């Protein structure tokens, strides 16, 4: 097998994965309250745009959090107190993105 046929690991963040991670986190509880699955697409698209250019070593919780918080502040919350309430959920999104696309990412198999 030639090295040109081996895909880079970890893969770069893709939009569909980012949408899924943000949707699954459901930080605002919109999905749980019956909103459509695309409720967080705007936030996920902005997040993807902000990280698509990063190399895996740059995809860390510390680097992701300011971006995620800025997106949430722009689109979903009005003040620092609301943002603070959501911070654990936002950190969860950042941790998942780092887990799947950061330097420590490991190949995943079904059932993991």
């Amino acid at each position: 097998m030639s090295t040109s046929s081996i895909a880079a690991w970890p893969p770069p963040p893709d939009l569909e994965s980012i949408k899924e991670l943000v949707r699954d986190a459901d930080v605002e509880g919109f999905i749980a309250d019956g909103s459509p699955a695309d409720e967080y697409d705007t936030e996920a698209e902005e997040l993807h745009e902000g990280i698509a250019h990063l190399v895996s070593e740059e995809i860390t919780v510390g680097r992701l959090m300011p971006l995620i918080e800025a997106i949430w502040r722009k689109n979903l919350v009005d003040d620092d107190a609301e943002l603070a309430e959501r911070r654990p959920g936002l950190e969860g999104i950042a941790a998942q993105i780092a887990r799947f696309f950061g330097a420590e990412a490991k190949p995943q198999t079904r059932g993991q």
Side-chain angles (χ1 to χ4, degrees):
M1 178 182 288
S2 74
T3 57
S4 62
S5 66
I6 298 173
W9 192 262
D14 62 280
L15 179 57
E16 289 309 310
S17 293
I18 300 302
K19 284 182 178 182
E20 181 178 347
L21 293 171
V22 173
R23 179 181 60 241
D24 289 353
D26 194 16
V27 173
E28 300 297 320
F30 295 147
I31 306 297
D33 287 342
S35 291
D38 66 354
E39 184 67 32
Y40 295 101
D41 279 5
T42 298
E43 292 75 27
E45 289 164 2
E46 290 178 21
L47 178 54
H48 179 260
E49 184 177 316
I51 66 172
H53 67 282
L54 299 177
V55 297
S56 62
E57 290 78 19
E58 296 173 319
I59 301 176
T60 64
V61 172
R63 177 120 186 209
L64 295 171
M65 280 303 293
L67 175 61
I68 295 171
E69 287 183 344
I71 291 167
W72 239 254
R73 183 69 185 245
K74 176 182 148 202
N75 297 329
L76 296 166
V77 300
D78 293 325
D79 59 42
D80 291 337
E82 289 181 358
L83 188 61
E85 289 175 11
R86 287 145 175 94
R87 192 161 285 125
L90 301 178
E91 288 173 344
I93 293 170
Q96 286 291 81
I97 292 170
R99 177 177 169 229
F100 290 115
F101 301 105
E104 302 300 316
K106 295 184 178 26
Q108 303 293 310
T109 60
R110 293 184 197 272
Q112 278 189 322

